[in-house]
């Protein structure tokens, strides 16, 4: 039996282990935030943002950012229907209404024209999710935001290393959020980051992140507001510092794996993968294959094929509007169509060329068999 190929796993070296051990041994008392402060400082420098707050999750960063913008009961927040539930959960927790709009067929990211079409007097924010490392059209979205006065938020959970016309994903909107979950290119096990260039918004979120205790408050244990507890631990931040020192290596390897898949699958008809357009860089967090409807290849076929070959494969996100907790069923054609003919391919730092060959060959063999079956059935029907 061949070894199982996992869809993702982190790259942890001696550097991460040494930093975590040092934080565990010395990061207490007066030094309890040493690695945390360093991680925030180095991450904002890498991103080119003015302010950064390390959090316990990307979801927590989104929750606090939306709360700081005043999102609440009766408000509407526009976001892509193609999304993980973590993006919509904070909207619901704050009492606002999520408005699901369709995505573009090529990037699988939010369609700016659909955003504009769904703006109402109740619209409080627009969330741009950079899916699988693919980039939203930030020029179009920021133009809408500037013209309407509606803040554009970047959900860059999956986009470390992605660049839009010289600006890193997450650094362009009113605020950006990142995930450092164990599956991500840069990991702290669990964790996230809130980033912004708005000093006032930063202070609001900083207060919210620490039980509502304002930074300038001189009274000990005196909260100035009802806040949250979404802080990252110093030990997690130590791992993050080590990962950030290796960020170019980590992102470049992701990009190499995507490129390797694209070369191997290039001759396969009816397939598209993560795009990279002029003057952009795709961080390539999750290489994804999407088949044209005419191929007849489905998600279930690919899942079964990969399971038989002892290979992990992740399904493309189901549309949020398909989930039972939401009543709205908008006609978002791409968001509903793409998941049924798409699959996320294995991608991790130490993946060998032989592993990539095996994944690609499995997909090629399955597709060839399906195309042969389709052509045979067509000849028999004539």
């Amino acid at each position: 039996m061949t070894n199982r190929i996992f869809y993702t796993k982190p790259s942890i070296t001696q550097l991460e282990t040494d930093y975590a051990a040092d934080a565990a041994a010395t990061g207490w008392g007066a030094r309890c935030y040493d690695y945390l402060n360093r991680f925030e400082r180095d991450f904002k420098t890498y991103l080119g943002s003015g302010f950064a707050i390390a959090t316990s999750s990307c979801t927590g960063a989104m929750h606090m950012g939306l709360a700081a913008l005043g999102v609440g009961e009766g408000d509407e927040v526009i976001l892509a229907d193609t999304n993980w539930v973590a993006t919509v959960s904070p909207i619901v927790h704050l009492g606002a209404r999520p408005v699901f709009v369709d995505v573009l067929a090529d990037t699988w990211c939010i369609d700016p024209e659909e955003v504009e079409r769904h703006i109402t007097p109740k619209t409080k924010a627009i969330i741009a999710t950079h899916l699988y490392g693919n980039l939203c059209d930030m020029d179009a979205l920021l133009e809408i935001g500037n013209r309407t006065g509606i803040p554009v938020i970047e959900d860059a959970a999956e986009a470390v290393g992605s660049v839009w016309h010289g600006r890193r994903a997450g650094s362009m909107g009113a605020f950006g959020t990142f995930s450092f979950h164990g599956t991500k290119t840069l990991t702290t096990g669990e964790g996230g980051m809130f980033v912004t260039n708005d000093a006032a918004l930063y202070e609001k979120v900083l207060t919210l992140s620490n039980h509502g205790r304002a930074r300038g408050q001189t009274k000990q244990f005196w909260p100035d507001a009802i806040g949250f507890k979404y802080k990252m631990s110093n030990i997690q931040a130590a791992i993050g510092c080590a990962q950030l020192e290796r960020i170019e290596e980590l992102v470049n390897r992701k990009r190499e794996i995507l490129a390797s898949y694209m070369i191997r699958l290039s001759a396969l008809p009816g397939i598209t993968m993560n795009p990279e357009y002029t003057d952009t860089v795709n961080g390539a967090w999750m290489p994804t294959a999407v088949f044209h409807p005419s191929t007849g290849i489905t998600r279930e076929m690919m899942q079964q094929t990969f399971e038989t070959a002892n290979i992990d494969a992740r399904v493309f996100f189901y549309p949020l509007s398909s989930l039972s907790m939401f009543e709205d069923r908008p006609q978002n054609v791409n968001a509903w169509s793409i998941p049924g003919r798409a699959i996320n391919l294995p991608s991790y730092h130490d993946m060998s060329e032989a592993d990539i060959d095996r994944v690609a060959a499995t997909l090629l063999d399955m597709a060839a068999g399906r195309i042969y079956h389709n052509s045979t059935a067509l000849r028999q029907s004539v």
Side-chain angles (χ1 to χ4, degrees):
M1 182 66 174
T2 55
N3 292 333
R4 190 166 188 85
I5 297 176
F6 298 102
Y7 80 84
T8 186
K9 52 185 175 181
S11 172
I12 301 298
T13 67
Q14 191 63 46
L15 184 64
E16 286 84 356
T17 302
D18 288 346
Y19 281 12
D22 180 59
T26 67
W28 310 102
R31 297 188 58 192
C32 66
Y33 294 139
D34 280 6
Y35 279 106
L36 191 64
N37 292 335
R38 174 177 165 184
F39 187 35
E40 291 173 342
R41 181 196 69 219
D42 292 352
F43 191 83
K44 72 180 181 182
T45 299
Y46 166 74
L47 205 66
S49 287
F51 307 95
I53 300 171
T55 60
S56 57
S57 68
C58 183
T59 312
M62 181 65 73
H63 194 174
M64 291 189 294
L66 290 173
L69 287 179
V71 172
E73 199 74 37
D75 293 329
E76 294 178 350
V77 177
I78 297 174
L79 71 162
D81 205 356
T82 299
N83 245 312
W84 175 227
V85 71
T87 308
V88 72
S89 295
I91 299 169
V92 176
H93 285 313
L94 290 166
R97 174 178 172 262
V99 178
F100 304 124
V101 303
D102 208 359
V103 295
L104 296 167
D106 56 345
T107 63
W108 324 318
C109 293
I110 195 165
D111 184 339
E113 290 186 4
E114 287 298 296
V115 169
E116 185 128 33
R117 195 166 70 82
H118 285 81
I119 290 174
T120 74
K122 295 181 179 180
T123 304
K124 192 77 171 184
I126 299 163
I127 299 179
T129 298
H130 301 298
L131 195 75
Y132 303 142
N134 301 353
L135 287 152
C136 296
D137 184 343
M138 291 306 298
D139 288 351
L141 293 170
L142 290 172
E143 191 280 327
I144 292 171
N146 290 334
R147 175 162 38 84
T148 62
I150 299 169
V152 176
I153 297 157
E154 288 182 87
D155 172 9
E158 304 169 359
V160 164
S162 295
V163 181
W164 175 266
H165 300 286
R167 302 177 70 185
R168 294 196 182 277
S171 69
M172 295 168 275
F175 69 83
T177 61
F178 289 85
S179 170
F180 305 132
H181 183 264
T183 60
K184 297 301 189 292
T185 303
L186 187 161
T187 186
T188 59
E190 286 282 1
M193 190 76 76
F194 170 94
V195 298
T196 187
N197 289 308
D198 184 329
L201 186 63
Y202 166 73
E203 291 296 339
K204 287 182 182 179
V205 174
L206 190 64
T207 297
L208 289 174
S209 72
N210 191 24
H211 291 302
R213 292 183 288 183
R215 179 164 56 164
Q217 178 55 255
T218 57
K219 279 178 152 182
Q220 192 175 29
F221 291 110
W222 183 269
D224 297 276
I226 295 296
F228 304 97
K229 184 61 172 176
Y230 284 145
K231 292 176 69 175
M232 178 183 283
S233 75
N234 197 51
I235 294 175
Q236 288 175 295
I239 297 172
C241 287
Q243 291 265 288
L244 196 53
E245 287 184 27
R246 301 176 54 221
I247 188 62
E248 297 302 333
E249 169 200 351
L250 295 171
V251 171
N252 287 341
R253 181 58 187 146
K254 281 286 190 178
R255 287 173 50 75
E256 288 172 0
I257 293 170
L258 172 60
S260 293
Y261 276 131
M262 294 182 84
I263 291 169
R264 287 162 172 79
L265 300 173
S266 60
L268 193 58
I271 188 175
T272 56
M273 296 191 70
N274 311 55
E276 183 173 86
Y277 294 116
T278 302
D279 202 22
T280 70
V281 175
N282 193 318
W285 173 62
M286 189 63 68
T288 301
V290 178
F291 284 88
H292 192 273
S294 64
T295 64
I297 294 171
T298 68
R299 169 184 56 220
E300 289 72 22
M301 290 171 54
M302 290 185 278
Q303 284 182 282
Q304 182 57 56
T305 299
F306 280 125
E307 183 57 35
T308 301
N310 204 23
I311 297 170
D312 271 346
R314 253 179 56 135
V315 299
F316 196 97
F317 289 137
Y318 297 94
L320 293 175
S321 61
S322 71
L323 302 179
S324 60
M325 63 283 289
F326 300 112
E327 295 181 357
D328 291 346
R329 295 289 184 267
Q331 297 299 307
N332 293 330
V333 176
N334 291 327
W336 279 72
S337 169
I338 293 170
R341 46 190 172 85
I343 204 80
N344 297 149
L345 302 178
S347 169
Y348 53 89
H349 191 79
D350 298 326
M351 194 174 187
S352 69
E353 290 301 308
D355 289 337
I356 298 172
D357 280 337
R358 188 173 136 205
V359 174
T362 300
L363 196 60
L364 286 164
D365 290 347
M366 183 217 66
R370 180 63 188 178
I371 291 169
Y372 173 80
H373 173 80
N374 283 353
S375 61
T376 301
L378 180 61
R379 286 197 301 271
Q380 291 174 347
S381 66
V382 174

